């Protein structure tokens, strides 16, 4: 087989890259280890920055997004039993949208199949070769047949546990990482949302987040230990903890209960590799970086990577040379590190750190008070939350 761009991974990053390349007349083949059903049913993040909504809309993927998505113009920070609204739209003129990552994936897969372009699921034994050459190769097994795919470029969009980053020789990448001393216990419940906007709560018992997937599906999280046993959390215990952490000074909680459909523990970590490129292999999304979910940046960062990479590839195939491809890593990393900073800051602001002394506790509350009472501080939070302007090199 021969193509221009070989894409490993059919998550949002790989699928969006293929979509943008198709619109630019550039051929690609997508290889995915999992089944289509698995990929479409993976429950992931559900908050899209304004820029992500804009790119999906501009490229013909916005119909269902705007029909079913929930636009939000603000968020609430809750501490000391009081809620404080941050007016995202009033401060920045921009919004965010609640629309599940799996729904974005479904839309992208449908568009790819409608284009009749190669999208191979359940691919096995994927390996990368000749990354330092002008014609890298991908070998794989699909449908029982061994295949070699010759490419000009390979895009590694296969997530944190994928094979692409591991294909880069030892010592080439510099790794930056931090593991946080807590995790999130998350639930999906058949219940109305607690509010029409997200509520981020800092409580002495630990952080809590009330969000949603739709007007009838609530998505809630509570801070827990990284080694937490989900089986130890009955439905009653989960609801009691959410009510306690979300309650106001009069003991009233906005949480609405319903049947819990899913439970799971999400680890909290920060991870970045530099550079995001080796030879003709370009890493994007979770293959290159992970952020704690507090700032809602994971999928949005992947989309930002892909916009930069797609524009660089279009310039390359239009005969404008390698300059933008050579600048890809540096350009993408500027945004990645700003998102890491914001995600680290939100995480540090809202979570309980075991062993923190009373001074640190008071400073944390003072920081929250400052953010909610200062127009400048509120604007800083808002412009990062809705998404910083894209840097394209």
């Amino acid at each position: 087989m021969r193509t221009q761009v070989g894409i490993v991974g059919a998550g949002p990053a790989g699928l969006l890259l293929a979509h943008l390349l198709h619109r630019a007349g550039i051929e690609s083949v997508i290889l995915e280890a999992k089944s289509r059903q698995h990929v479409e049913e993976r429950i992931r993040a559900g908050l899209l920055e304004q820029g992500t909504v804009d790119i999906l809309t501009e490229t013909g993927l916005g119909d269902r997004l705007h029909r079913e998505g929930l636009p939000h113009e603000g968020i609430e920070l809750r501490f000391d039993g009081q809620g404080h609204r941050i007016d995202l739209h009033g401060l920045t003129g921009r919004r965010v949208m609640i629309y599940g990552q799996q729904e974005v994936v479904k839309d992208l897969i449908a568009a790819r199949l409608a284009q009749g372009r190669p999208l191979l699921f359940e691919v096995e034994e994927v390996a990368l070769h000749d990354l330092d050459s002008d014609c890298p190769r991908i070998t794989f097994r699909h449908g029982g047949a061994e295949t070699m795919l010759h490419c000009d470029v390979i895009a590694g969009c296969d997530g944190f546990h994928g094979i692409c980053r591991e294909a880069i020789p030892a010592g080439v990448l510099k790794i930056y990482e931090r593991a946080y001393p807590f995790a999130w216990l998350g639930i999906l419940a058949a219940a109305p949302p607690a509010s029409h906007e997200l509520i981020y709560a800092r409580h002495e018992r630990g952080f809590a987040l009330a969000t949603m997937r739709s007007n009838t599906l609530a998505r809630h999280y509570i801070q827990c230990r990284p080694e937490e046993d989900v089986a130890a959390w009955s439905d009653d215990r989960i609801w009691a903890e959410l009510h306690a952490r979300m309650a106001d000074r009069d003991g009233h909680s906005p949480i609405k209960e319903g049947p819990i459909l899913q439970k799971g523990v999400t680890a909290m970590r920060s991870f970045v590799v530099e550079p995001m490129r080796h030879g003709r292999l370009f890493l994007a999304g979770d293959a290159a970086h992970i952020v704690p979910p507090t700032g809602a940046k994971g999928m949005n960062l992947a989309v930002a990577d892909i916009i930069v990479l797609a524009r660089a590839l279009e310039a390359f195939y239009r005969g404008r040379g390698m300059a933008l491809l050579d600048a890809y890593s540096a350009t993408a990393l500027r945004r990645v590190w700003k998102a890491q900073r914001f995600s680290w800051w939100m995480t540090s602001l809202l979570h309980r750190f075991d062993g923190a002394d009373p001074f640190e506790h008071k400073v944390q509350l003072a920081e929250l008070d400052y953010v909610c009472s200062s127009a400048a501080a509120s604007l800083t939070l808002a412009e990062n939350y809705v998404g910083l302007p894209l840097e394209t090199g």
Side-chain angles (χ1 to χ4, degrees):
M1 295 179 67
R2 179 75 173 85
T3 193
Q4 292 173 298
V5 180
I7 301 173
V8 183
L15 290 164
L16 180 60
L17 178 60
H19 183 71
L20 297 180
L21 293 179
H22 176 75
R23 290 172 59 86
I26 300 168
E27 294 295 323
S28 65
V29 173
I30 308 174
L31 308 177
E32 169 57 49
K34 302 295 186 180
S35 68
R36 177 181 178 182
Q37 180 179 0
H38 178 90
V39 171
E40 290 188 338
E41 292 180 356
R42 265 187 309 214
I43 302 297
R44 292 291 188 269
L47 190 143
L48 308 184
E49 294 177 353
Q50 179 76 63
T52 299
V53 173
D54 290 345
I55 193 67
L56 294 174
T57 303
E58 291 164 8
T59 58
L61 298 166
D63 288 351
R64 197 164 70 94
L65 165 65
H66 288 285
R67 187 170 64 249
E68 300 179 12
L70 304 175
H72 286 190
E73 297 191 348
I75 60 172
E76 180 181 319
L77 299 183
R78 183 171 288 215
F79 58 96
D80 266 356
Q82 290 185 299
H84 307 263
R85 185 173 185 269
I86 304 295
D87 185 357
L88 302 175
H89 185 258
L91 290 163
T92 69
R94 296 162 71 80
R95 301 173 175 84
V96 295
M97 180 84 79
I98 296 293
Y99 189 68
Q101 176 174 313
Q102 73 276 11
E103 304 305 325
V104 175
V105 166
K106 289 175 187 176
D107 295 341
L108 285 163
I109 288 175
R112 181 71 173 177
L113 296 178
Q115 294 158 2
R117 308 316 303 158
L119 169 53
L120 307 183
F121 291 102
E122 300 181 80
V123 172
E124 301 174 307
E125 300 175 23
V126 178
L128 310 186
H129 312 272
D130 303 329
L131 299 178
D132 290 317
S133 75
D134 292 341
C135 187
R137 298 174 294 122
I138 307 175
T139 55
F140 61 93
R141 179 184 292 273
H142 184 251
E146 294 183 357
T147 304
M148 181 179 294
L149 177 64
H150 296 268
C151 320
D152 299 322
V153 168
I154 297 174
C157 304
D158 54 343
F160 182 76
H161 298 290
I163 59 96
C164 288
R165 188 177 67 251
E166 298 300 321
I168 297 174
V172 171
L173 298 177
K174 188 167 186 179
I175 297 175
Y176 301 85
E177 59 184 328
R178 168 170 293 182
Y180 294 87
F182 40 72
W184 282 6
L185 173 62
I187 65 164
L188 185 69
S195 170
H196 67 288
E197 295 174 342
L198 276 66
I199 304 175
Y200 290 81
R202 184 218 171 273
H203 192 273
E204 61 184 12
R205 299 172 66 94
F207 168 79
L209 171 62
T211 179
M212 70 287 292
R213 288 295 173 265
S214 70
N215 287 320
T216 58
L217 284 175
R219 184 74 162 159
H220 300 317
Y221 300 92
I222 51 179
Q223 179 182 344
C224 65
R225 299 171 303 158
E227 68 277 10
E228 199 72 59
D229 180 6
V230 175
W233 285 82
S234 67
D235 292 6
D236 288 343
R237 183 185 177 191
I238 290 172
W239 290 121
E241 196 65 29
L242 280 166
H243 286 306
R245 298 188 190 188
M246 286 284 173
D248 61 21
R249 290 179 175 178
D250 295 324
H252 299 135
S253 164
I255 297 294
K256 302 172 181 65
E257 297 185 20
I260 294 179
L261 309 177
Q262 294 178 1
K263 301 177 188 178
V265 174
T266 300
M268 302 285 284
R269 68 183 307 168
S270 299
F271 177 90
V272 182
V273 295
E274 294 187 3
M276 291 169 55
R277 174 202 181 173
H278 176 68
R280 288 293 182 94
L281 169 64
F282 296 82
L283 301 177
D286 286 359
H289 43 74
I290 298 286
V291 291
T294 325
K297 294 300 167 203
M299 181 171 64
N300 295 294
L301 265 188
V303 169
D305 290 348
I306 291 308
I307 294 170
V308 175
L309 183 55
R311 290 176 180 174
L313 287 167
E314 184 173 0
F316 172 69
Y317 283 109
R318 297 291 179 267
R320 298 198 292 273
M322 293 282 293
L324 289 182
L325 283 175
D326 290 340
Y328 163 72
S329 179
T331 302
L333 282 166
R334 283 196 294 272
R335 187 183 190 88
V336 167
W337 278 113
K338 289 173 185 174
Q340 288 285 1
R341 182 210 67 82
F342 178 67
S343 299
W344 164 83
W345 177 76
M346 285 280 285
T347 301
S348 302
L349 184 68
L350 291 161
H351 287 75
R352 185 195 70 226
F353 287 79
D354 290 340
D357 61 34
F359 178 86
E360 292 169 311
H361 168 76
K362 287 291 189 179
V363 167
Q364 196 178 38
L365 288 174
E367 177 79 357
L368 280 163
D369 188 26
Y370 173 65
V371 167
C372 296
S373 59
S374 162
S378 294
L379 175 58
T380 296
L381 187 156
E383 67 179 2
N384 279 273
Y385 197 89
V386 301
L388 296 172
L390 183 70
E391 299 182 58
T392 56

